[in-house]
Amino acid sequence: MKVLFATCAALPAGDGDDDALVEALADVGVQASWAEWGTPVEADLVVLRSTWDYPERLPEFLAWCDSEPKLANPAPVVRWNIDKTYLVELADAGVPVVPTAVAKPGFTAWPDGEFVVKPTVGAGSVGALRVPAGDHEAAAAHLATLDVPALVQPYQANVDEVGETAMVFLGGQYSHAFTKGAMLTADAEFDESGLYVVERLSGAAPSPAQRRVAEDVMDAAATLTGLRRNDFLYARVDLIPGADGSPLLLELELVEPSLGFRQTDATAPLRFASAVRAALARR
């Protein structure tokens, strides 16, 4: 059995986080290799990994996803999740989400206090702006530069102290978690590829409250996409603390998230390999 990890030209073998997956898959009889997305492939499963140039080539990327029946996660999930307005749907479904408005040029309902303006389609914090309280002119100017609508969210200041908790699900089941330092800070730097902000990562042990919210997010996503949870080969639920400390969903990553294999123990790649085997069996 052959699995292809899809990446982009700037990262021909990914960013290093997935290195252990090749050996873990080989141990269960699955041959894994890397290729740039958009190129012809012959594989039993095509797994989206570091395809992080897609925002600049979005129509081409979505057309390629539609043409790959063996894609994981599947193309309908990609189309739903690649546009961050899914957060509004999840909020309507009862998930505790960072308050989110969708803005286009001419938007005026800016939040009180600090807030964030970021494109509805984007990766690696590219195009995200942390706006000081009351600086609506800067927010409007940034919004005008974006080629897509934007999300507007009040900045959750607690993230500066505790960061984001990223909870990883493999084959629909919880696997592990890691912490990401606050991204929208004055000292944030981009990776040498220019595709994403360098993250400060470490392992994490999520609280029961975080576990409950993450499980609710996964259930709601399955309902909204018409799938079963195990149809998601991978998922990453990013939570941050709200003003009262309760966990809020910042993003649900179902397209091409880093999964933090370097921030957890050696059993996580084995769980990924088992999830791949199960996905291949269902096909």
Side-chain angles (χ1 to χ4, degrees), residues 102-263:
V102 180
K104 297 179 180 180
F107 181 84
T108 58
W110 305 110
D112 297 328
E114 267 193 302
F115 59 96
V116 175
V117 179
K118 60 184 178 182
T120 55
V121 178
S125 296
V126 175
L129 179 68
R130 180 175 172 177
V131 183
D135 196 351
H136 301 166
E137 183 176 344
H142 182 66
L143 181 61
T145 69
L146 301 177
D147 294 329
V148 294
L151 299 187
V152 177
Q153 300 172 314
Y155 189 76
Q156 306 299 311
N158 285 339
V159 75
D160 290 340
E161 296 296 326
V162 302
E164 304 174 22
T165 300
M167 301 179 62
V168 177
F169 290 74
L170 301 174
Q173 303 300 312
Y174 172 73
S175 171
H176 60 280
F178 60 100
T179 296
K180 303 192 295 177
M183 303 286 286
L184 300 181
T185 58
D187 60 349
E189 296 180 356
F190 278 88
D191 164 78
E192 62 184 14
S193 70
L195 295 174
Y196 58 91
V197 171
V198 175
E199 298 173 322
R200 300 180 295 279
L201 308 177
S202 59
S207 68
Q210 290 172 322
R211 287 289 306 275
R212 286 193 295 270
V213 170
E215 296 285 352
D216 288 345
V217 169
M218 293 295 294
D219 289 342
T223 298
L224 288 170
T225 58
L227 299 176
R228 299 165 299 180
R229 277 179 49 158
N230 65 356
D231 290 323
F232 302 130
L233 176 62
Y234 52 83
R236 197 184 80 199
V237 180
D238 292 347
L239 303 178
I240 61 174
D244 64 354
S246 299
L248 299 175
L249 178 66
L250 181 64
E251 289 194 18
L252 167 63
E253 297 274 11
L254 298 172
V255 180
E256 34 54 57
S258 291
L259 296 174
F261 290 112
R262 289 178 292 190
Q263 280 69 54

